[in-house]
Amino acid sequence: MYEENLITARKICKSFGPTRALIDVDIDIRRGEIRGLIGENGSGKSTFSSLAAGLQKADSGEMYLKGEPYDPKDMVDAQRHGISMIVQEMGAIPGITVASNIFAGRLGEFSRFGILNWKKINKAADDVLADIGAPDIKGDMMTATLNFEDRKIVEIARAMSTNPDVLIIDETTTALAQKGRTIIYNLIRRMHEEDKAVFFISHDLDELMEVCNTITVLRDGVIIDTLDQDEMSVELMRKLMVGREINGEYYRADKDGTHGDEVLLKADRISVRPWFENISLEVHAGEILGFGGLSNSGMHEVGRALFGIDKVLTGSVTLPRKGKEITSPQAAVKNGMAYIPKDRDNESIVLTGSIANNILVPVWDKLEKAAGFIRPDEERKVVQEQIGKLGIKCRNGKQLVKELSGGNKQKVAFSKWLGNDCDVFIMDCPTRGIDIGVKVDMYRLMEQLKKEGKAIILISEELPELLGMSDRVLLFKDGVISKEFGREEQLGEHDVIEYII
Amino acid sequence: MDGKQVSRTSEENVQIQKQLDKKARQKERIMNLIPYAGFVFVVVALTIATGGNLFSANNLANILNQSFVMIIVAVGASFVYAHGGMDFTVGASMGLAEFVIVTMILSDKVPLAAALLTGVLVPVASSVGVACCALYLKIPVFVGSLGLRMVLMGVLNMVMTNSANGQLNISYNDYRFIDNVAVKLLVLVAVIVAGYYLFEYTGIGKKAKIIGGNRTVARESGVNVSKYVIWGYVFLGVCVGIAGIFSLFRAAGVSNTSGSGTEFNLMTCIALGGFPLKGGQRSRIINAILGAMTVCILSNGLLLCNLDANIINGIKGLLFIVIVGLSYDRSSGKLVS
Amino acid sequence: MKKQLKKWTALLLCVAMVFVMAGCGNAGDGKDDGKKDGQKQEDETKLTDTTAADVDETLAKAPHFNITVMLGSFTDSQGVETKKALEYIEEHFNVTFNYVETSNTTENTIAAIETAVASDTDGIIGACVKTAACVQAAGDVPMVNQPDIGEAMTKELAGKENYLGSVCEDDYAQGYAAGKALYEAGCRKVCIARMTVGISESIDNRGLGFLDFVAEHDDMELLADNQSRGQYADAVATFASAFPEMDGIFCVIANDGVSQAMVTEGLVGSVKLATVGYASSDKQLLENGTLVYCTGGKAAITMTCFLALYNHLLDESGMIDGETKLITRNSMEIKSVEDFEAMEKYVVGDVPPYNAEEMMNMVHYFNEEFTAGDFAEICNNYTIDDLMSRRSK
Amino acid sequence: MKKGMVYIKNLMEVLILPIALLAVFAVATNGAFINSRILMTALRQSVMGTIVCLGLTLNLNMGMMNFAGGASMICGAVIGGNLAMATGSGVPGLIFFCLIIGVGLMTIQGGLYNAFRVPCVVLSLGLTMVYEAVPRIFYPEGCTLPIDMTKLALSPYCFIIMIVMCVAFYIITEYTVLGHNMKAIGENPAIAMGAGLNIDKVKLMSFILTGVFFSIGALMYVSKGSVDNVAAMGSMPVQMESFTGMFLGKFLGKNVNKAISVPVGVFSMKLLASGLTIVGLNSNMQTIIQGTILLVLLSYAANTGLIDKIKADREFAKMARARA
């Protein structure tokens, strides 16, 4: 009864242990539709797309493809049914050739009695790559030699190699530069003209408005609303995503960029191969110093070098107040520095550890009594204090971090350092991929730390956030500081774009 | 449009959520209980098979004597396995430690205490050697400790062959004051209490678990990873040294097969006790001790059963597979190594 | 997935049960041991006055004893031979054997002895004791050890009456005799393939005997000394390729791998071989004169331990001399093909070197005038000819 | 032509070690070492080791260390040999039975591995004990083959079998769908699963193939003449014997197929062993030297990039200071 729909989903439920990712989701995607799917992290959009693409199995509910029941065993089975997907994380295997990546799992079609015919495979790969508009990449190249963007294009080629009826794109464009984005937009246009469907998942609300003709909003695993072309607006979408009014200005209301004049952190002509050279900077008490630039501009690596994770080849990083030079993360932590890494799940928290253990890691040295004894009650006091202060939603301190939502995980990463009374904070994309509600809490926390006279380095790839929060901004391009300006100059995004592209 | 109002807080959904939470906690509790169930199963099965002989008066003392070495080594090993490390040199280094002690005693120019102390330093040196290979030479721990094991076994064989053809004995009666049940119980309790204190209440244990959970997070949160990894191996070396001392005085002599096979036995104890091989927060000393007890009672009981030599190890292997199969944490699913 | 896991666990558990049943069944009544070829071979030797049935009848009247047998392993050639002989004893005598493997480590030996005492065994034989602690662990359970433990330890154990003594063959003499045999066969450049020193004392003594012989004869040169854990065939192959001028090899244990390596390496005719112990494929090496020295019938050592213990258990009659606490058995040298065939027939066949009737007469309880002297005398003239004469009577 | 040159360069990289060993021992024994007899014997001795190590490499490529290799080989050798003798089916029967048992044992291990989700290392420890006990129930005295059935260990056959197995390994890893999937999963299992490869099926197939290699290893082991059963963990030396050779091959032949580098690695170890015997060092020294070579080789492999990284860093720093 759903022939006219390409994909129909009825009452789809899916849960991972106690966390329920999707609850009674109903979706209809018709031919020629470019369906956008938005929602905060942990809202279930990636889960739904992986169900449709056969990566995971739904707990309950049915799915129909062109009217027939549809239950894919795995990704290859879904691809045979005409649904293919480009995953969010790295989907291309570096150690094998481009052609093997494109036809992974389906090499059987190119072999006679189990023996592979590499010539035929490479030729087919070249055709698909030319068809999607990337003739410079060849099938027999080794994937490891390609840069990050070309590897994503190989994944796109894999998805398009069976010219699917439905193409699912899961937050791929955020990592692509110009070349990749044009390829994606052409494909979407072509799918629309050929009366097929595209399922587009992205954080970039403006991009969605241009590309999609309908947008569905998901929150906490439940569908809130579906907007047509005319109903769409950024404010409405943001409101539906957060579920409550965003009152007042996100970022800091005040305009003054004043800060204390005592220098808390000083870098003198530091350089790390191959990322940056001769970077000098100072951060003052009560100042938010912003680092802006593209992801490969070297700003993230400067943050790591300031904290002592990567050894600096020239110059030095010093804490003038304590007169100490920073050469290792241990020295940094002992002298009151804090670092919140960009890759939250792999570098800032231990997913298999409990909330208490994650919070206490930098604090144990301070709590040690005679013979290294750490009193359990002191530990509990610190943990309860942090959970209360940041409002982490959890059963108790013993709950595992992997069961928390994205926002709560980030709160744990923050509270790790607040319990350690640090005075220099280095935050690398602290608000990336967390829901707006928690983002606002983070911004208020930064303001409060600024008032307490802490020095904060805010590294961010979102210009609005950078401009809204920083007292002073350093823009990075290809490992060099391309521009420095203060808050009082009130520069807008368009003024600074040419310094970072 | 097609999304009707479904809310998370609807009464029925809250019910489902509470039920899911309860199921998750139950599963966690069962996972922790299985090693104990394995232990009870082995004890009950063997008590029946041996007609109650397993816990007869003199067999209890035997079980203590036979399991003493493995429990001490298991307590030491829990610090290494907690941070995801491994050490195959345990057997050979214990043999070498015994050799050093015996040569010093026989030369009787050295007081007993000094001989024992130097003996303990040998496994400490070999375990720290494995740590340094892993930390500074970047050699993977698994293969690195196998290579070092080969070297140590070569050294042990050579040393033993050159001196008195592979067997050095000391007098049995002079050292009864060390090798008796009272002293052993005392030392066992002391090591377990010290181990438990260091593992649960000091930085050494806590930081070892965090390193086992995620080494990058530990490093970037200010933990001196190399120092605490080496601390773990030092504690293992000390425990192997203590075990070597008591095994030496129990046997009243050393040969080049002294301590051989302890490394594979140790891995069996860790796996049987439900101690996570990759370390992390779920590591608990009680699991390592439990594993050691299960293995030793299994060996003792099967011997008591007067089973034919041909099938004793077969049954031990089968029971090992069943218990490990049930108790191993299956979270890594298909991606298990 | 859950279904699959339950299926596998159920399968494993019932296999475990089968093992346990087979095991308990086998250990319970040693009589009809399923694994052995079972059919009761009639004693083909003619018994003069008492028939086999009478022998079994008198033996069955003796009280029952549980005896623990401990060897390094029951899987090497000597282990298998010994186990076969003991299973023969179990058939005729009213005893039950419990076989325990100690893989030659002192810890395992002590643990095995303690556990045997805990399962109230009546006596222990074998044990391959290396330190006094093993004997102490036996408490007051009577014990006959194999091989000898050296004077120092015997002195230390003087107080322990439960230690009845040790039985061994003079391994050192066998190694020395092997060296002499090679010397007489004209070998001057020899290699030795032996087990890593320290694992088994009796095997080490064979190596020492041979090395002393070579040292004493300066016109004889030792080219290589390869110690390994059982890879003797590889050692022979390496000697063959590395030392073309080699003309003699001594291997501490006879095994079929070594005999076949002599053939595959084309050493027959150019290189002589001397071994200790028995390997089935040694026969053709004897025929073509390659094998100049080999001994057999090592199972008799453990049988002697059993008889010494059995005498003690029955009526406390001591068969082993009080001071030395040691019986050094004569070793059965094999010089010719006829000797080899006789050994295969009478030693490693279905009837061990001493059949039930002969053993009965070596037990004071059944045969009053049998004395320790006779026991020592029987052990001394343990040769092929003695065996052939006994069997042909 | 360029591709050919690169291939030759890689091949030369693998052959450095055996040639270096030959040179060292040629000097040490002033020429006595270089004779075809020694090389042939070392090669013949490395046949079994090579086949076992190729089987282990199949599993190691997917991150799975398997201790049960030695035990399954002894089990296959003893039961296979005795069944062949009992049925009087000669060498073909021997091959057939060894294959059946070897593949059967590894299929059981693969099934348990997938069912229990236990790391291969831990499972193989338990299975080693079981596989060592099984042949002792049926044939406690081990297996001794009559001379006419041990033809395979003699020179023409054993080399043919080794070459066949190496070629089979080469074809499996380079040209079959299964081999390619195994490489992809070994590289990064998470992404491979995302890409739609059926990890369980591929791992089970890799166990079965390893079973084939172990059974041919068992065949060569029993064809040497006789195989005794072993006591607890007695099968470890059988497998560990050429363990160093396997890692030697793995690291020496980084960019050439393992079918070439593993045999060369195992052969080099046998050369080393016979060289040391001639020079007069006893086997204890050999174990020490083998262990040291393994450690040195592992650290070399782990830090290959280190020297030029330091050079590049110093270069970069010098330039940065100049420009400051």
Side-chain angles (χ1 to χ4, degrees), chain B residues 63-232:
Chain B
I63 290 180
L64 168 73
N65 283 329
Q66 286 157 18
S67 57
F68 177 86
V69 169
M70 276 327 293
I71 292 178
I72 298 268
V73 173
V75 167
S78 36
F79 284 79
V80 168
Y81 277 90
H83 69 249
M86 203 180 280
D87 191 349
F88 279 110
T89 64
V90 163
S93 61
M94 190 190 288
L96 270 175
E98 290 177 34
F99 169 75
V100 164
I101 295 173
V102 166
T103 8
M104 284 192 176
I105 289 177
L106 291 181
S107 73
D108 56 49
K109 290 197 287 299
V110 178
L112 182 63
L116 299 188
L117 208 60
T118 3
V120 169
L121 292 184
V122 170
V124 169
S126 104
S127 289
V128 167
V130 172
C132 295
C133 283
L135 288 171
Y136 305 115
L137 295 178
K138 303 277 186 301
I139 300 180
V141 172
F142 184 82
V143 186
S145 66
L146 277 176
L148 202 56
R149 166 178 179 266
M150 226 185 258
V151 173
L152 289 178
M153 274 167 73
V155 169
L156 180 64
N157 283 343
M158 204 166 65
V159 192
M160 288 307 294
T161 324
N162 298 351
S163 67
N165 277 316
Q167 182 64 34
L168 271 174
N169 287 352
I170 50 178
S171 93
Y172 177 80
N173 299 324
D174 298 356
Y175 298 97
R176 285 307 96 213
F177 66 95
I178 292 182
D179 176 34
N180 62 49
V181 179
V183 170
K184 283 193 177 177
L185 266 183
L186 201 68
V187 169
L188 193 63
V189 167
V191 168
I192 289 177
V193 164
Y196 189 75
Y197 165 70
L198 286 176
F199 201 72
E200 299 295 338
Y201 292 100
T202 66
I204 296 178
K206 290 173 187 282
K207 292 183 181 175
K209 291 187 210 169
I210 288 292
I211 294 173
N214 183 327
R215 189 169 278 227
T216 324
V217 172
R219 177 163 179 268
E220 287 173 13
S221 308
V223 172
N224 185 340
V225 173
S226 326
K227 179 177 155 201
Y228 284 97
V229 162
I230 289 179
W231 261 116

Side-chain angles (χ1 to χ4, degrees), chain A residues 445-464:
Chain A
L445 182 63
M446 281 189 217
E447 277 190 79
Q448 193 211 327
L449 290 173
K450 171 181 160 61
K451 283 193 195 63
E452 288 168 10
K454 313 283 185 191
I456 299 170
I457 292 180
L458 170 63
I459 304 171
S460 174
E461 288 168 5
E462 291 170 23
L463 280 181

Side-chain angles (χ1 to χ4, degrees), chain C residues 287-305:
Chain C
E287 276 145 11
N288 53 38
T290 308
L291 185 61
V292 291
Y293 179 87
C294 99
T295 65
K298 289 229 175 277
I301 303 173
T302 318
M303 295 173 79
T304 318
C305 293

Side-chain angles (χ1 to χ4, degrees), chain B residues 234-257:
Chain B
V234 164
F235 193 78
L236 171 62
V238 167
C239 288
V240 168
I242 295 171
I245 290 171
F246 282 90
S247 151
L248 166 67
F249 289 120
R250 171 170 154 78
V254 64
S255 78
N256 62 2
T257 56

Side-chain angles (χ1 to χ4, degrees), chain A residues 5 9-10 24-30 33 35 216 223-226, chain B residues 1-5:
Chain A
N5 285 1
R10 282 295 172 270
D24 297 343
V25 165
D26 299 343
I27 281 189
D28 301 76
I29 299 179
R30 281 174 301 288
E33 190 175 355
R35 170 66 64 96
T216 302
I223 289 196
I224 304 306
D225 202 349
T226 302
Chain B
M1 287 298 291
D2 47 22
K4 66 182 178 348
Q5 265 315 345

